[in-house]
Amino acid sequence: MTSADPTSEPTATGTTAPRSLTAVRPAADARRLLADLVPPRHFQDARFATYRADEAYPSQRAAVERLEEVAAELRRPRGGGLFRRRRPAPAVYLDGGFGVGKTHLLTSLAHAVGVERAAYGTFVEYTNLVGALGFLPTVEALAEKRLVCIDEFELDDPGDTVLMSRLLRELGDRGVALAATSNTLPDALGEGRFAAEDFLREIQAMAERFEVMRVDGEDYRHRSVVTDAEPLDAGTIRAVVEETAGATLDDFSALVDHLREVHPSRYGAMLDGVSVVGLTDVGPVTEQAAALRLVVLVDRLYDRDVPVLLGGAGEHGLFTDAMLRGGYRKKYYRALSRLGSLAEDGRGVAEGGGSVPR
């Protein structure tokens, strides 16, 4: 549900103005926010059977087999009874480097348990959900699920980490199974080993409940963190948007300003019905709060496989050097990687004459 429909409208000259994200004021209610906690479209076909375990790294096959056991346990009716002690619900943490398929495994677990019985979201989506609904309503809603999956558990914001630790404790005490992954960068020392140690330290009271599963391996995408896709000129972007059903066109600075007025939990709703996003005059974002909001938007675009037509300077210099060296560097490098991938998809749309790949 949105308070403004981003459909095209006639201009004073009689031509049709392209749809614009800045015209959308999402008003997603609690039911919609909770309904969005499902595996993203990008991984809608992920299953244990489609995970290609590298025989050179036995931990990959071991992780699949253990998660299949967890899924089987969660599909069974809950035990208990007045005089029967219920076993603690499983809690697993997938520890490994960039591109070893942790998200594939996590979404496979959600599918195996049943998407109607599982909640699936990134760390940021859950913290945003608490911000939108409040802590106790969030606990009550998620406690109805059998499994809660947290992808890309982040440790760069102490306040959010404490909040998530408390949320996990409340859910675990109510018998909800938990599964999490980290967002380790490819150049991180130990390829995730220290991420696991940090995770267990930061969640403190919950640490003894989590079973850490190591997933070794190489980046299966064999990609760099930043793709540096070449930007498109403004005329090409406008022409593609005008020829593509469901496409939007926005000035980059105007969109960044608009994100300030929309709660990040509603960025997904802002993209309802959007097939391609065109952005002109893309340039550096120098304010940290604005940059972090942009990261969330890029994540929602990536989840939905929405190609992006990047104009201006494109990815080049999008985040400052200080940001890329700071505490949120993982978020920014992830956003650059994902935006670069979406920009390449956008270039494919442009070169294909406006056809959107699906």
Side-chain angles (χ1 to χ4, degrees):
M1 182 176 77
T2 59
S3 57
D5 181 6
T7 51
S8 304
E9 296 181 356
T11 65
T13 60
T15 59
T16 300
R19 301 172 66 190
S20 170
L21 292 178
T22 58
V24 185
R25 297 293 189 275
D29 58 17
R31 185 178 304 175
R32 165 62 192 271
L33 296 177
L34 292 166
D36 281 346
L37 292 177
V38 295
R41 181 194 305 170
H42 193 75
F43 291 95
Q44 64 183 356
D45 296 324
R47 300 293 188 276
F48 291 129
T50 62
Y51 181 80
R52 297 178 182 176
D54 189 336
E55 297 305 320
Y57 299 95
S59 61
Q60 294 187 10
R61 173 55 55 192
V64 172
E65 292 173 353
R66 176 63 184 125
L67 290 175
E68 288 178 328
E69 292 174 354
V70 170
E73 178 180 346
L74 296 180
R75 286 195 298 267
R76 292 194 291 267
R78 295 195 191 208
L82 188 58
F83 301 105
R84 188 175 175 183
R85 186 172 181 177
R86 187 171 59 191
R87 293 178 58 190
V92 295
Y93 176 82
L94 299 177
D95 173 42
F98 196 71
V100 296
K102 299 188 303 295
T103 297
H104 186 127
L105 292 172
L106 191 65
T107 51
S108 297
L109 178 61
H111 284 297
V113 172
V115 293
E116 72 285 352
R117 306 174 68 210
Y120 182 101
T122 62
F123 180 94
V124 172
E125 285 181 287
Y126 287 110
T127 56
N128 286 338
L129 183 68
V130 173
L133 303 185
F135 184 81
L136 288 179
T138 299
V139 171
E140 294 297 331
L142 295 178
E144 297 296 320
K145 300 295 185 178
R146 190 72 179 93
L147 169 70
V148 168
C149 298
I150 309 102
D151 198 17
E152 297 173 352
F153 198 101
E154 298 176 353
L155 300 169
D156 44 28
D157 187 303
D160 284 346
T161 302
V162 170
L163 172 67
M164 185 60 72
S165 179
R166 183 185 169 201
L167 179 64
L168 295 183
R169 185 172 65 252
E170 292 278 352
L171 293 173
D173 288 346
R174 296 182 184 219
V176 178
L178 306 168
T181 72
S182 65
N183 62 343
T184 308
L185 288 172
D187 62 348
L189 184 62
E191 293 186 340
R193 183 172 64 251
F194 297 105
E197 294 173 0
D198 292 342
F199 170 79
L200 294 175
R201 182 181 65 251
E202 294 297 333
I203 63 172
Q204 298 176 12
M206 284 290 295
E208 69 277 6
R209 300 192 194 185
F210 271 86
E211 172 188 355
V212 175
M213 282 183 278
R214 176 71 180 165
V215 185
D216 297 291
E218 300 178 359
D219 182 354
Y220 75 93
R221 288 158 290 202
H222 298 289
R223 69 182 184 190
S224 60
V225 177
V226 183
T227 59
D228 285 329
E230 288 300 317
L232 300 168
D233 65 83
T236 298
I237 293 174
R238 176 173 285 275
V240 173
V241 168
E242 291 176 348
E243 295 170 1
T244 306
T248 62
L249 180 66
D250 287 275
D251 172 79
F252 180 71
S253 294
L255 179 60
V256 170
D257 289 341
H258 179 61
L259 296 181
R260 185 184 298 113
E261 308 300 322
V262 180
H263 193 279
S265 65
R266 293 172 171 81
Y267 288 1
M270 187 167 65
L271 298 173
D272 284 353
V274 174
S275 62
V276 175
V277 167
L279 298 174
T280 59
D281 294 323
V282 177
V285 179
T286 57
E287 181 192 1
Q288 183 110 277
L292 291 173
R293 287 190 291 267
L294 181 61
V295 167
V296 176
L297 179 64
V298 171
D299 284 342
R300 300 293 80 76
L301 288 166
Y302 186 79
D303 288 346
R304 290 160 175 75
D305 284 333
V306 178
V308 177
L309 306 168
L310 278 185
E315 298 169 77
H316 304 289
L318 185 60
F319 304 119
T320 67
D321 288 341
M323 291 176 184
L324 296 178
R325 293 193 304 266
Y328 296 111
R329 61 187 293 268
K330 288 183 181 180
K331 293 177 185 280
Y332 296 133
Y333 276 114
R334 182 181 75 235
L336 288 172
S337 177
R338 290 182 168 186
L339 185 59
S341 176
L342 296 175
E344 287 299 327
D345 291 342
R347 179 171 291 279
V349 173
E351 294 175 349
S355 59
V356 182
R358 281 284 180 266

